[in-house]
């Protein structure tokens, strides 16, 4: 693991997720640029001191030098955004698989550079932890749509709104997220808008081709967008809207998507992730529930307990890790790989370009 | 009443609404272009046959000729859209107040023509039945915002989605709504998008100044938009999105609005109209409920029963009628008068223009 | 109308309900024991002074003396509980149909006395306004159960909880409801527990035969129960629980019922009356919605607007009035007639007896 | 760990829960009476074969013989009910702490026998995994009540309903739960009614003293109750109802509790565990959400992620494990210890006795 020292948020989440199913073991880390933080973090996680490294360069070098059955198998990248790229690049070049937090990189050029490395090294796996794809009912929605369950898709509403950046906030989490050098050209859209984009494309299996966006910075003095909305167009005539905002006071983590096709619709809300609403033209709306026997096998496999025992964010994240482990065993593909990584960065670039050009329709170029 | 013969929908609703509080009495009508329909409708409503008129022209003439204490006081217009204007014009010119179903007219030119008449005849009241403004919690939201309850408004999400036109539909209601000659230049936006526009402006007391819209006709052979989304900008830097759609399969009448300011937020959904959610930065979200003593007097006045006895669409409509009756007694103003009527039509025009110009930002000109 | 003068609550509700569909006209009244209140109320309702009577005795006498086509057809009783019986008796004996607010009488003996009169005068209609049976989805639930839609019924949970009497309250509504002389032997159970009983029997078509009850007076100084729960047994082995309470702080008017049979279940909540949940063993729960085309004709007939336009308490009440009007035209039966009236009073008696006998199982004797 | 071999449900849940926070390591087990199952289970969990024991007797003996820093610290019991007691007894007598699945034993006599052992060995910890107490908002409700947040408690509604045993079911989970020899004298009440009892006493800090119960076996041929409801009385005049049922078709795992005091109320539902509703007499109902800064420190400590990232059953279970680990380090007490274990069994005994005696009020004797 690179990143995730004391004071970090997402590193701990990755560790919970990796640990849950007992398939993955943390064996080494470069948790912080502060060696003492790294040492304390490693000790608290039960690592040997000699596998707590000063930095990721040292980690790649030292681990690669270990015997194959002792060295780490893959690197989990849980740093702020601007460090994702150099670590991923170094890991791949040292021959390690990579599971990176999102967004993949600071910009689309970096993402394409990673893609080049991965495409030249097909034995290396690259995964991006778009956590929300790990919810079993998200996959179920995708399967229903693929099976024609709502007919040809017409319209998608997707949004991801939060309130925690509604005022100027002084903490570690907020700080780097609003710093262009660490977070990239976009704040809110890079941080959470990419999840909305990823979710919409995953469920529908359609790519967003064009966006017309209006990004805003509502909080005085902030250097990046903290809010934005976009009209979008997907392949095959699908249309939609996407909003992401971190200034919606009182909202927690409201990622939601609604998809309407010619014969039905689907609605899913991350804050109540074990429910999927399915609408029909002439029949009552159905409440699909995680874990139920009437779901597909795939959805059932992603739920650990009987229906009515809520599973949440950590279980979804664990599913992403489990899926990555399966991919390493050649038992399947990751939901978001290097192509998804590039798409996410290109999406953000297109939003920024459109917003700068008076919301002009802008193509997403990958 | 003009319109509202057998087979019509909204006429009956107007009659229920007018009747509920016992303040308004139906005295005459031109219910249909079919004289037999008019006769049957009038008879079933207990009207004398001599006050069931062949057409609105005849009605205006005959009623105006009656003694002041016998003739009708105002005309309720409940026809398809294209007839709104000529009837309203005739009524106003004959000296009768007008309460019209929306949208006010077929286009902004007609609306402005009505505005001219009204401004020259300040003793005449003109009201537009934007029903949803009649819900007591809609007014409460407006009062909370006016009182600074959510701070300076930043972002508005408003939408109105239905599913009943997801396929080609053969019935009287659908027919004229998708016929440009009867419905105006827009289908879905004129029919329900105007409600969303009206609601957003009413709650925030801010005007939408510009829109960037993408209107769509999803159903083959339909001549007007059945779906559309727009980015918008309001006065004072407020931004937002507005969607209206009639192809969202399985949705009934989902008008909802969420407004976020610097210090709080409000959420209201028409299908659960007796609940208003109020969000805060550092406190639990509150569930405000219609009829409760902690609401403003205005909100309490709009609810007839104790809390927990659901009131709905007809009561909201009755509130619009009651408010119009109060306006006739000089006890207050209507929520949506002639200026709102013009604004609604100008909003639709701007959407159509923007959508035709590749979603270019377009000013709403009133 | 007897009762319903200024300051009363339920009288106004009856008038709204009667007025909504335009089938029923208020022609006379004895609204209050205070003649001035009666006069003011009558005047505000547009009645002639000579049909505003000093008391119900005078009203029966005078109306009976009018020509058949001028006199009132039926009497609506909207007084406090203790006056229900003498007015109903007088009206029936004077040959007028009766539509009474509930509970029918102060005790079961009075209810049986009314039953005797009605059974001797089969041309006279007696209806009890159990409002909640007027919601279209309540009737739909009954039809689904009758059609075997949930299999043989096993278990019923019904409750009706409010919070408005959680503290000693000084107002007209609370006063008579907590006075044994005016309200009968039970407070909460007579006032709202009877609705729960009525609803459970209506939906299931099974009679509650025995109760084991524990009634409580939580507020110091109150003379009647303000809370109670009971186990119950119905015909055919159905079991259930019933709670009614007026001390559940913050609850408005939470009448809810859940019924489970061998193959499915149904859930309905009065505060969201346009939704009926239907559960299955092996299929997703369905959200049935008022007004939808997939409902039975009966349920559709009870809804005035298209789906998604909320209808509420007044519309349900209007349905009860409409049903009574149909019964007068011999077009159907009332949902709750004299037998239901007796059953309701016998239910309350059994609760009181059981609670007095240490919650002993007690038969409901009708 | 004793129990939890292949084909078992709750053992895997215990392992996920124990693993999540990285504080607890599985070191040995007697997973099944089938040695091959034990061997396979142990291998799949990465245990050495020599610490996969043939039975719990052998495990206690062998582990006790290991050096103190190598042997297991405590025993997790995840067998069917009838094995809880002998394993717990053996473990305690061998000097090991015990964390047992519930119900603690087959009957109250066994529970009291365990209590004797624990009281004679105060250095030994005994914990019962009443999972639902691990949800942070359950603890928050308890703290609010303790702080007087709803005033003196008056009324409690608690229920736990499921549908999975609505028909005769042939599987391992259902089998032992409906076998008196393995499950104890009660089926549904022992399995899930005890959770409801435990939750009500935990939140209110009041003990249920008497019950009047009506237990039922709805499914033909089943030997134990699959449904039951009870009136209950708590200390200090609190009254309530408790229902548990496994024949409510379509219900998943609906444990819910509502508590009303003199000045407010609280409502919590296990299937949406991150929300706690708080009602007031004169203020809007509040939606308290897990993880929020306005909660007590205790509630915040029980939530691992930021608000809006759902946590669920496994995290609640992990909190129970974490709390047990803290108790072993003398950093706090377990939520449900040996006294709670005895109370649970005495509660079931009282229900059975009351139901056998025509629902007579029956004291819970601990």
């Amino acid at each position: 693991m690179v990143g995730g020292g004391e004071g970090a948020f997402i590193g701990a989440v990755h560790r919970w997720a990796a640990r849950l199913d007992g398939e993955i073991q943390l064996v080494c880390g470069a948790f912080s640029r502060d060696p003492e933080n790294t040492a304390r973090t490693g000790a608290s996680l039960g690592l040997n001191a000699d596998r707590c490294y000063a930095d990721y360069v040292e980690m790649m070098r030292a681990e690669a030098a270990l015997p194959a059955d002792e060295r780490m198998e893959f690197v989990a990248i849980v740093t702020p955004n601007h460090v994702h790229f150099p670590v991923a690049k170094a890991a791949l070049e040292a021959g390690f698989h990579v599971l990176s937090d999102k967004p993949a990189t600071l910009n689309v050029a970096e993402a394409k550079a990673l893609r080049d490395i991965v495409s030249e090294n097909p034995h290396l796996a690259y995964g991006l932890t778009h956590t929300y794809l790990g919810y079993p009912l998200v996959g179920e929605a995708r399967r229903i749509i693929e099976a024609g369950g709502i007919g040809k898709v017409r319209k998608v509403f997707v949004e991801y709104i939060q309130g925690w950046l509604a005022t100027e906030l002084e903490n570690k989490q907020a700080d780097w997220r609003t710093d262009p050098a660490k977070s990239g050209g976009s704040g809110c859209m890079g941080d959470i808008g990419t999840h909305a984009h990823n979710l919409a494309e995953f469920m529908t299996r359609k790519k967003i081709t064009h966006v017309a966006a209006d990004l805003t910075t509502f909080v005085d003095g902030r250097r990046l967008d903290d809010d934005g909305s976009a009209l979008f167009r997907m392949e095959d005539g699908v249309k939609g809207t996407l909003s992401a905002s971190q200034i919606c006071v009182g909202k927690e983590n409201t990622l939601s998507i609604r998809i309407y096709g010619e014969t039905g619709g689907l609605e899913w809300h991350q804050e109540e992730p074990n429910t999927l609403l399915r609408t029909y033209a002439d029949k009552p709306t159905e409440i699909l529930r995680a874990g139920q026997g009437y779901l597909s096998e795939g959805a059932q496999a992603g739920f650990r307990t009987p229906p009515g025992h809520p599973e949440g964010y950590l279980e979804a994240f664990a599913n992403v890790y489990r899926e990555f482990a399966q991919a390493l065993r050649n038992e399947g593909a990751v939901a978001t790989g290097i192509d998804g990584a590039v798409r996410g960065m290109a999406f953000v670039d297109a939003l920024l370009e459109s917003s700068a050009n008076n919301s002009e329709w802008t193509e997403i170029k990958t």
Side-chain angles (χ1 to χ4, degrees), chain A:
Chain A
M1 176 172 282
V2 178
E6 289 177 0
F9 159 59
I10 203 70
V13 170
H14 278 252
R15 289 192 293 261
W16 279 314
R19 197 185 288 138
L20 188 67
D21 289 308
E23 291 189 342
I24 293 163
Q25 194 184 349
L26 180 66
V27 294
C28 64
F31 301 110
S32 169
R33 280 172 304 181
D34 168 9
E36 293 189 14
N37 185 336
T38 288
R40 280 196 310 273
T41 302
S44 78
L45 293 168
L47 294 189
N48 286 339
D50 61 356
R51 295 184 80 178
C52 297
Y53 299 102
D55 58 36
Y56 69 87
V57 177
E58 170 63 11
M59 185 169 97
M60 304 305 163
R61 195 198 53 72
E63 289 289 319
L66 290 176
D69 61 346
E70 290 180 28
R71 68 176 169 241
M72 66 179 179
E73 279 183 80
F74 72 92
V75 178
I77 305 177
V78 300
T79 63
N81 297 356
H82 65 298
V83 190
H84 291 177
F85 172 69
V87 178
K89 182 166 181 291
L92 291 166
E93 290 177 346
F96 296 107
H97 308 292
V98 166
L99 184 60
S100 173
D101 210 79
K102 42 59 46 192
T105 57
L106 268 195
N107 52 53
V108 72
E110 288 180 356
K112 289 179 177 175
L114 285 187
R115 183 172 61 184
D116 290 344
I117 302 174
V118 173
S119 61
E120 288 160 16
N121 296 276
H123 62 290
L124 290 178
Y126 175 90
L128 200 63
T129 54
H130 271 295
T131 321
Y132 303 112
L133 304 194
Y135 281 114
L137 290 180
V138 166
E140 186 72 3
R142 175 174 157 102
R143 278 181 289 268
I144 289 171
I145 292 172
E146 187 180 26
I150 65 169
K152 185 177 177 310
V153 176
R154 285 171 166 172
K155 181 93 178 191
V156 176
F157 301 98
V158 63
E159 68 175 34
Y160 194 156
I161 63 176
Q162 305 177 323
W164 70 298
L165 292 177
T167 53
E168 219 176 328
L169 199 70
E170 298 288 341
N171 75 23
K172 185 167 182 175
Q173 291 307 318
D175 190 41
W176 69 257
R177 278 185 170 78
T178 57
D179 175 353
K182 294 182 177 167
S183 194
S186 164
C188 173
M189 280 296 174
D191 190 22
I192 61 175
T194 47
H195 278 300
H197 165 261
N198 176 263
L199 182 63
E201 294 199 342
F202 181 74
M203 276 197 185
T204 61
R205 292 175 192 258
K206 304 286 183 202
K207 290 181 176 129
I208 296 181
T209 59
H210 295 79
V211 291
D214 191 16
L215 307 189
T216 311
T217 303
F218 278 110
V219 175
D220 286 344
R222 185 165 289 157
R223 289 166 292 173
L224 293 171
D225 57 288
D226 49 26
D227 171 273
S229 292
L231 308 175
F232 65 77
R233 292 174 179 171
M234 301 181 101
E235 300 167 316
D236 297 327
V238 180
K239 295 199 173 182
T241 68
L242 181 150
S243 289
S245 182
Q246 294 174 315
I247 56 88
C248 293
V249 176
K251 300 314 288 180
E252 297 180 338
N253 201 40
T254 310
L255 171 62
S256 73
I257 187 163
R258 294 169 293 161
I259 302 176
Y260 300 98
E262 291 188 350
T263 61
L266 291 167
E267 306 184 13
W268 180 82
H269 301 269
Q270 192 272 149
E271 292 183 346
E272 209 177 331
N274 300 309
T275 293
L276 175 68
L277 293 178
R278 183 171 182 177
T279 60
Y280 296 91
D282 304 315
K283 294 199 302 178
T285 294
E286 291 175 349
I287 305 174
L288 278 64
R289 293 276 301 164
Q292 284 287 2
Y294 50 71
L295 301 177
S296 67
E297 281 184 29
Q300 293 189 50
F303 203 72
R304 290 161 179 78
T305 51
H309 298 73
E311 300 196 7
Y313 181 79
L314 295 183
E315 287 77 21
F317 218 127
N319 285 344
V320 171
Y321 261 85
R322 188 159 68 176
E323 184 192 64
F324 188 71
Q326 289 167 341
L328 296 193
R329 298 193 300 263
N330 293 313
E331 294 170 3
V334 296
T336 310
I338 191 65
D339 289 333
V342 172
R343 291 200 58 73
M345 298 317 302
F347 167 73
V348 173
D349 270 21
L351 292 176
L352 290 167
E353 184 183 334
S354 172
S355 192
N357 290 321
N358 212 21
S359 308
E360 192 173 70
W361 281 106
T362 303
E363 189 180 358
I364 297 179
K365 301 187 197 78
T366 58

